[in-house]
Amino acid sequence: MLDILYEDNHIIVVKKPFNVPTQPDSSSDVSLYDMVKEYIKEKYNKPGNVYVGMLHRLDRPTGGIIMFAKTSKAAERLSKDIQDRKVEKRYLAVLSGVPKSKIGHLENYLKKDEKTNTVKLATLSEEGSKLAVLDYRVLEENEKYSLVDINLSTGRSHQIRVQMSANKTPVFADFKYGKGVKDVNLALFAYKLQFTHPTTKKLMTFIVEPPLDDIPWKFFSVQKHIN
């Protein structure tokens, strides 16, 4: 069942569940992209192939806000805004440990291994490496963990998870780049998306809370930081 935050003739903004792929992958599991496509097809009784524009992605284990375009013109304009870093994408994460710097700016070159679906730090000269940029701020901390707000400037695959792991503070319950925790979702959530509407030019802002009663979110006063 799609959790729709906003919809008009040009865009649809939804809340992605944890552990659902954003787009079709080798697992053959139903993706969020497939769900949106099917929803539009059924709601508007559209025959044939339905257009849905992929604008940005969330890693499979990550939950939170994601937007799709319903027309090619909207997709073109929003994709350019994302490329020009005019779209604000903010995340909440619970990290294992506390960063040495409470406010930080991270820039790394990352390279993805498609065979293993993993990403590693790379150098500028390495073929296929891409610049990854983010800013973070520690909101709360305790003896073991920290709640951080992350402003993502680039949208590289696994970016936050790899950069935070390289910073010696991996995202809590990250099986791939940290230490997994059984029956606990990755503590990474896309809680805010802000952009200019492609046709009305109105500033659109969406904020959604992570699952506040779940581990590890319940260890922190999340609401007071985002509302």
Side-chain angles (χ1 to χ4, degrees):
M1 190 73 166
L2 268 183
D3 189 345
I4 300 170
L5 305 176
Y6 176 84
E7 181 189 5
D8 62 24
N9 292 332
H10 310 279
I11 59 172
I12 181 168
V13 182
V14 301
K15 179 182 170 185
K16 176 188 169 301
F18 292 99
N19 302 312
V20 170
T22 300
Q23 64 189 48
D25 61 16
S26 58
S27 71
S28 299
D29 293 339
V30 177
S31 70
L32 192 64
Y33 177 84
D34 294 324
M35 293 179 202
V36 171
K37 216 169 182 181
E38 189 61 28
Y39 161 79
I40 293 172
K41 187 170 186 173
E42 287 186 7
K43 181 177 180 179
Y44 301 101
N45 197 23
K46 290 198 170 189
N49 194 30
V50 174
Y51 179 85
V52 174
M54 181 78 66
L55 301 171
H56 60 125
R57 295 163 179 78
L58 294 176
D59 292 349
R60 183 182 183 124
T62 306
I65 307 171
I66 191 165
M67 166 177 56
F68 296 91
K70 292 171 69 176
T71 68
S72 57
K73 184 168 281 188
E76 185 181 346
R77 289 175 179 173
L78 286 166
S79 293
K80 187 176 189 310
D81 283 351
I82 290 172
Q83 190 176 356
D84 294 342
R85 301 185 185 179
K86 292 178 180 177
V87 174
E88 184 180 356
K89 294 177 284 183
R90 297 274 286 277
Y91 294 73
L92 286 173
V94 176
L95 306 179
S96 296
V98 181
K100 289 182 180 178
S101 300
K102 299 299 187 287
I103 297 176
H105 175 82
L106 301 180
E107 290 193 17
N108 302 99
Y109 282 92
L110 305 181
K111 183 176 181 178
K112 185 172 185 179
D113 185 333
E114 297 292 347
K115 290 182 180 178
T116 60
N117 192 32
T118 56
V119 177
K120 65 175 185 177
L121 296 186
T123 61
L124 171 62
S125 60
E126 282 186 66
E127 187 179 350
S129 68
K130 294 179 179 179
L131 179 64
V133 181
L134 64 78
D135 293 275
Y136 72 85
R137 180 167 56 96
V138 176
L139 303 174
E140 279 185 52
E141 60 184 88
N142 56 36
E143 291 180 359
K144 290 185 175 181
Y145 311 113
S146 54
L147 175 70
V148 298
D149 182 306
I150 297 166
N151 188 0
L152 203 60
S153 295
T154 54
R156 308 305 181 200
S157 184
H158 303 185
Q159 177 180 339
I160 293 173
R161 298 161 65 190
V162 175
Q163 288 190 282
M164 286 304 175
S165 181
N167 202 42
K168 305 284 192 286
T169 51
V171 177
F172 182 83
D174 191 344
F175 280 88
K176 194 162 279 192
Y177 301 105
K179 187 178 179 182
V181 180
K182 191 177 180 183
D183 299 324
V184 174
N185 289 319
L186 179 74
L188 181 61
F189 191 82
Y191 81 95
K192 182 178 181 182
L193 184 67
Q194 185 170 296
F195 58 94
T196 300
H197 193 281
T199 56
T200 66
K201 303 305 177 186
K202 179 184 175 184
L203 185 65
M204 310 287 287
T205 304
F206 298 92
I207 295 176
V208 174
E209 296 172 345
L212 301 178
D213 295 330
D214 289 359
I215 293 173
W217 305 104
K218 67 180 185 179
F219 300 153
F220 301 95
S221 304
V222 176
Q223 281 180 308
K224 77 176 186 181
H225 298 293
I226 63 176
N227 293 331

